[in-house]
Amino acid sequence: HTGRELVAKQGFLFLKSVTTRPPRIDKSGQVVEGEYVYVSNKEFEEMEEKDEFLWTAEDPAQGCHYGTTKKSVTEALADERAPYVTILFWEKAAELFCHLKALGRESEVHLVFLSAHEDILRERAAKRDGLTPIAVERLKDSVPWPHQAINSKYPFRFVNSEGSPAETLDRVAQVFLRENNGKSKVTTWIVKEG
């Protein structure tokens, strides 16, 4: 199973982000649909100028940009199907929380911090991309995140992500259902993976 298939199996939907990166291609040579809205650098810049994004981020390793539009968050809040998932750096989750608080809907966001021991994160990074200088830098940058999240004013729930992706998603779903009775419309996962 892909991560997205596992997330869907738990009943979550992905909040679609915008990116300038090239589309992901599956084994049959087809573009993986539903993952992102793919735009050119020029289109991304125009969206930024029009203030369409709630937040943006740059991935220097890939030389591309990511962003989540205000419209997609508003649509997720109105959708009656299932809670939406977005995966962010922890400070971007705080931006989402502030935005929803300004709308009087902060009770509808669920902030989940997924974390694992540093050795496990290093092993995962090595398997995924190799321990490139950028991967090592990302790991180093993520070290203070849990402490910063704990000391923030935002209601993060911490979930251990050691083990398989399916086990982690089961733990997230249990926390989500137990603590929020499924009332949240957007659940944000902070993945301390570097």
Side-chain angles (χ1 to χ4, degrees):
H1 293 292
T2 67
R4 289 186 180 271
E5 289 170 342
L6 290 170
V7 168
K9 190 175 177 185
Q10 287 290 354
F12 295 109
L13 301 170
F14 266 101
L15 190 65
K16 200 178 282 190
S17 294
V18 175
T19 185
T20 61
R21 67 169 249 201
R24 194 181 317 267
I25 306 298
D26 67 18
K27 292 177 185 175
S28 66
Q30 301 297 312
V31 172
V32 176
E33 295 293 331
E35 190 171 28
Y36 292 102
V37 174
Y38 297 100
V39 299
S40 68
N41 284 321
K42 185 177 189 298
E43 289 170 309
F44 195 92
E45 288 172 15
E46 289 171 355
M47 292 174 77
E48 280 186 304
E49 288 171 9
K50 293 178 185 174
D51 196 32
E52 292 182 28
F53 291 113
L54 185 54
W55 59 77
T56 61
E58 181 181 2
D59 183 345
Q62 297 182 33
C64 60
H65 297 272
Y66 294 87
T68 299
T69 64
K70 295 172 186 175
K71 180 181 177 185
S72 67
V73 173
T74 301
E75 289 172 352
L77 290 170
D79 194 329
E80 295 299 322
R81 291 179 294 167
Y84 279 75
V85 172
T86 183
I87 298 175
L88 300 169
F89 293 117
W90 84 269
E91 65 273 12
K92 299 298 182 183
E95 290 178 34
L96 170 64
F97 189 82
C98 288
H99 176 70
L100 293 178
K101 187 170 185 172
L103 297 174
R105 300 186 77 169
E106 68 272 19
S107 65
E108 297 179 55
V109 68
H110 186 81
L111 304 175
V112 178
F113 198 109
L114 302 179
S115 188
H117 188 273
E118 203 70 31
D119 292 339
I120 291 172
L121 297 178
R122 184 174 292 281
E123 183 180 313
R124 288 177 183 168
K127 284 181 183 175
R128 185 178 60 239
D129 302 319
L131 283 176
T132 64
I134 290 174
V136 170
E137 189 66 27
R138 282 185 184 167
L139 283 169
K140 186 176 128 191
D141 289 348
S142 72
V143 168
W145 291 2
H147 181 72
Q148 291 168 335
I150 288 168
N151 291 314
S152 75
K153 59 185 175 186
Y154 305 108
F156 285 100
R157 277 74 167 186
F158 288 80
V159 175
N160 186 314
S161 67
E162 295 175 9
S164 73
E167 292 168 331
T168 298
L169 287 172
D170 284 343
R171 287 192 289 272
V172 169
Q174 289 169 10
V175 169
F176 180 77
L177 293 171
R178 181 180 68 242
E179 292 187 13
N180 287 294
N181 298 319
K183 292 179 185 173
S184 293
K185 295 303 295 176
V186 178
T187 179
T188 299
W189 301 355
I190 314 307
V191 183
K192 186 178 180 289
E193 293 258 340

